[in-house]
Amino acid sequence: MTDTIYIYIIMALLVGAAYGIAIRKTIRHQSNSLCYNILTKQHIKQIVSEYICNHYPQYQTKGIHINWGDGNKNHTSRDQTESESERMAIAKAIYEVMAHTYSTPTDTIQKLAKDYKIEEFLLSKLRWASVTKKIEILNYMSTISISHITIGVISRYLSSRNRHLRIAALIAILAASPTKAISIIANLCFELRPYDISRIISLLRRGILPIAYEPLLTSDNHNLLRLGIAIVRNFEIGIADKHLYNIIARTTNQSIVREAIYTLALLGRPLGRQPIRRQLTIMPDHSRRELCLHLCREGYSLASLQALFSESELLYTKDLINSYKRDLACWYSN
């Protein structure tokens, strides 16, 4: 009986010690996260005020002074003076600034990343990081200049089973090699999803990818077609309607046809042409009903819809058009 009590006491002490260690690790992690967030906010403030707003071209962290002039008298080695959390905070700050601003001057910001050796630091952390951390690091790499060696290292993630890791690697590669964007996308071994397309469009909006939409719309590659249609839709390029009609006439991929029809609807183009009618006949019933409701919200008249859809599919649409709910639906969809 006495031995059993001793065993229970020892087990209780072990459990208490393990719990105490876990609590201390949690507190330490929260403290490090808080310090990291504070560092990131400080760096974002300095980058915006000194680089984007063209204030005094100096950058200071923890008593270290960088002279951006011709001399390097005040330059100190980053490897010897900066902690890992400091570098990661700078990488995140650069990402936050570059990802949320358009036409940002990048020369001085890239010089900041080069002086702190952010590329080498992120590459050293990439190999042994978890999948979530890899995605974060690749996102940071998409806003700094990286070498061909780094591009070769991260290219292997394009074949990853994790689609979020694949697209993070793709965005970093496209940002580093904008002139090869079309060939890179054409040679992908996976189909781009709407989220993936939106990430590429964000690079276009930031002025990083010089991609013309016309070669994409005339391509036979499905990924390039999806990207071209997305560019037309996001930038509302009305003169591209003839290419969309041609895509509907020659393409058998139903998802691409659907995107082209929805893009034509966004542009307010007529949908009564024979290729569109033919595609509607093979479209699933639920997709037809969704399209009918969408066209109603886009402002198409009842007469134009009657030429495309059956009476049963127009049953709800008629009531919507003839009621005040149409205005509410149009406002909500926009």
Side-chain angles (χ1 to χ4, degrees), residues 22 40 58 84 103 119 127 156 184 286 293:
T40 302
Q58 297 175 350
E84 291 185 357
S103 301
E119 178 189 352
R127 181 176 182 182
R156 65 186 182 206
I184 292 172
H286 69 277
L293 185 58

Side-chain angles (χ1 to χ4, degrees), residues 2-15:
T2 305
D3 293 339
T4 304
I5 294 175
Y6 285 145
I7 292 174
Y8 283 143
I9 292 174
I10 293 173
M11 290 179 63
L13 291 174
L14 291 175
V15 171

Side-chain angles (χ1 to χ4, degrees), residues 14-26:
L14 291 175
V15 171
Y19 182 76
I21 292 172
I23 291 294
R24 285 195 293 271
K25 285 185 177 180
T26 303

Side-chain angles (χ1 to χ4, degrees), residues 43-56:
H43 291 311
I44 290 175
K45 183 178 179 180
Q46 282 191 280
I47 290 173
V48 171
S49 63
E50 296 178 2
Y51 297 141
I52 298 179
C53 298
N54 296 322
H55 289 176
Y56 299 104

Side-chain angles (χ1 to χ4, degrees), residues 63-132:
I64 298 169
H65 178 74
I66 303 175
N67 182 11
W68 294 100
D70 296 332
N72 293 320
K73 296 179 180 180
N74 295 323
H75 186 78
T76 308
S77 174
R78 299 294 174 269
D79 290 332
Q80 300 175 358
T81 55
E82 291 301 316
S83 64
E84 291 185 357
S85 60
E86 182 82 17
R87 286 187 179 182
M88 191 63 76
I90 293 174
K92 183 179 181 181
I94 292 175
Y95 169 76
E96 293 290 343
V97 171
M98 298 293 290
H100 295 88
T101 55
Y102 300 140
S103 301
T104 306
T106 61
D107 294 341
T108 51
I109 295 179
Q110 296 302 333
K111 191 175 189 304
L112 171 66
K114 184 177 179 180
D115 282 349
Y116 276 86
K117 298 183 179 179
I118 299 298
E119 178 189 352
E120 293 83 350
F121 169 72
L122 293 177
L123 189 60
S124 67
K125 294 295 181 183
L126 184 63
R127 181 176 182 182
W128 304 109
S130 63
V131 173
T132 304

Side-chain angles (χ1 to χ4, degrees), residues 17-45:
Y19 182 76
I21 292 172
I23 291 294
R24 285 195 293 271
K25 285 185 177 180
T26 303
I27 294 174
R28 190 181 303 114
H29 176 72
Q30 291 177 348
S31 177
N32 291 338
S33 298
L34 179 61
C35 294
Y36 172 71
N37 291 333
I38 292 174
L39 276 175
T40 302
K41 290 180 180 179
Q42 291 175 348
H43 291 311
I44 290 175
K45 183 178 179 180

Side-chain angles (χ1 to χ4, degrees), residues 281-315:
T281 58
I282 61 177
M283 187 177 290
D285 293 340
H286 69 277
S287 297
R288 286 173 57 89
R289 289 192 294 269
E290 289 176 0
L291 177 60
C292 182
L293 185 58
H294 178 77
L295 296 180
C296 171
R297 290 173 175 172
E298 288 292 335
Y300 281 81
S301 66
L302 181 59
S304 61
L305 296 179
Q306 286 174 336
L308 299 172
F309 302 98
S310 63
E311 288 297 324
S312 60
E313 292 170 332
L314 290 171
L315 186 61

Side-chain angles (χ1 to χ4, degrees), residues 231-249:
I231 292 174
V232 173
R233 182 170 59 250
N234 279 270
F235 296 96
E236 299 186 13
I237 306 174
I239 59 175
D241 55 353
K242 60 180 180 180
H243 293 293
L244 297 176
Y245 287 123
N246 292 334
I247 290 173
I248 295 172

